[in-house]
Amino acid sequence: MFANSLLRALPQDVLERLRPERVLLPLLHEIEFPGKPIHHLYFVESGMASMTATFQDGEQVEVGMFGFESVIGISALMGTRQSLNRVYTQIAGDGYRTTLARARVEFQRGEIFQALTLRYVQAQLLQAMQSAGCNAKHEVNQRLARWLLLCADRVQSNTFLLSQEFLGDMLGVRRTSVTMAALALRQAGLISYSRGKISILDVSGLRSISCECYQVIKDHLDSYTEFDTALVR
């Protein structure tokens, strides 16, 4: 049984055509890099990867998060010749991959694989739009709570290793702002944080601090595989 939501939803004949192979996804493993061609689609089983926008000064901001629900590299199925963003693992894990050639043939059949990948694109767009609005409207402590909850959902664990520098990059704020927000959450008994190890101690309490963006994103990522089968021929 696959842990990845999309692979788990595919019938056996589709899996036989895709022939997914298991791969390790160590910390900071580069899955995509701007300007480089995409050769494989990746299906994360455990761990977490981030898609970031990188600026000329070297700073980066997260624009997408990938966990057990994800498929990475879909843009290549829609005509993209080279990756537009950087995608790399921030929490080590493993997963599966298939060649772009096999995925493209299956996608062009216009059946369940196409329907599911397009539904995931929709979920990713929602995540990006909601995160953009969240970054503009909500306070850093709310955004940090939202991000930690989503990260925990993706890795299916309330404890993970993340540096404050990385958190600042992902939220698009200065490290001092993240430090103050993390300190406030720790003093409230919601998280523990030491030497890059974060543990969520009170999930319901953290949800009460988080903005509504967490639930909106969670609902779409959790349910995108539940589609109208009448759309699949």
Side-chain angles (χ1 to χ4, degrees):
M1 176 67 72
F2 292 104
N4 182 273
S5 299
L6 194 146
L7 290 180
R8 192 169 62 244
L10 293 176
Q12 187 60 35
D13 61 322
V14 177
L15 292 171
E16 290 174 357
R17 290 192 292 269
L18 289 175
R19 287 183 282 166
E21 59 178 356
R22 198 163 193 91
V23 291
L24 294 177
L25 299 172
L27 182 65
L28 302 182
H29 175 70
E30 294 278 1
I31 298 174
E32 291 186 29
F33 196 82
K36 290 189 176 181
I38 299 172
H39 297 296
H40 295 88
L41 267 63
Y42 286 79
F43 307 85
V44 177
E45 290 261 297
S46 66
M48 190 271 286
S50 291
M51 175 185 289
T52 62
T54 304
F55 301 94
Q56 290 183 347
D57 60 4
E59 292 190 2
Q60 58 182 337
V61 175
E62 185 181 72
V63 295
M65 180 187 293
F66 303 97
F68 68 92
E69 81 296 335
S70 65
V71 53
I72 303 171
I74 301 177
S75 61
L77 299 179
M78 302 175 190
T80 300
R81 294 180 179 273
Q82 299 175 332
S83 179
L84 304 175
N85 296 94
R86 184 186 180 200
V87 180
Y88 60 105
T89 52
Q90 287 293 352
I91 298 177
D94 64 355
Y96 289 86
R97 73 178 187 181
T98 186
T99 65
L100 176 59
R102 288 197 290 266
R104 184 174 285 143
V105 170
E106 190 62 38
F107 185 83
Q108 291 174 347
R109 292 171 69 94
E111 299 176 352
I112 188 170
F113 180 69
Q114 183 190 86
L116 284 173
T117 53
L118 291 178
R119 282 296 179 101
Y120 182 67
V121 169
Q122 183 183 46
Q124 280 293 103
L125 287 173
L126 183 282
Q127 180 185 175
M129 291 186 294
Q130 195 74 32
S131 296
C134 181
N135 291 345
K137 183 176 177 59
H138 295 135
E139 301 294 332
V140 175
N141 62 335
Q142 293 178 293
R143 292 158 54 192
L144 177 58
R146 181 257 303 170
W147 196 91
L148 291 175
L149 288 167
L150 286 172
C151 188
D153 290 342
R154 305 282 69 76
V155 301
Q156 299 182 298
S157 173
N158 287 338
T159 299
F160 34 86
L161 297 175
L162 292 171
S163 69
Q164 287 189 1
E165 181 180 2
F166 165 69
L167 287 173
D169 285 345
M170 297 304 97
L171 296 175
V173 298
R174 296 182 181 276
R175 182 176 177 179
T176 53
S177 298
V178 173
T179 299
M180 293 177 63
L183 179 61
L185 296 181
R186 185 170 62 182
Q187 290 177 338
L190 303 178
I191 67 170
S192 65
Y193 186 84
S194 177
R195 297 181 180 179
K197 182 179 180 180
I198 296 178
S199 293
I200 298 176
L201 305 177
D202 184 349
V203 174
S204 61
L206 198 61
R207 285 182 176 179
S208 69
I209 294 295
S210 174
C211 52
E212 69 268 24
C213 300
Y214 163 67
Q215 197 63 48
V216 172
I217 295 172
K218 173 180 169 58
D219 288 346
H220 278 76
L221 291 178
D222 285 351
S223 63
Y224 82 90
T225 58
E226 299 173 8
F227 61 96
D228 184 357
T229 55
L231 296 176
V232 182
R233 297 180 181 178

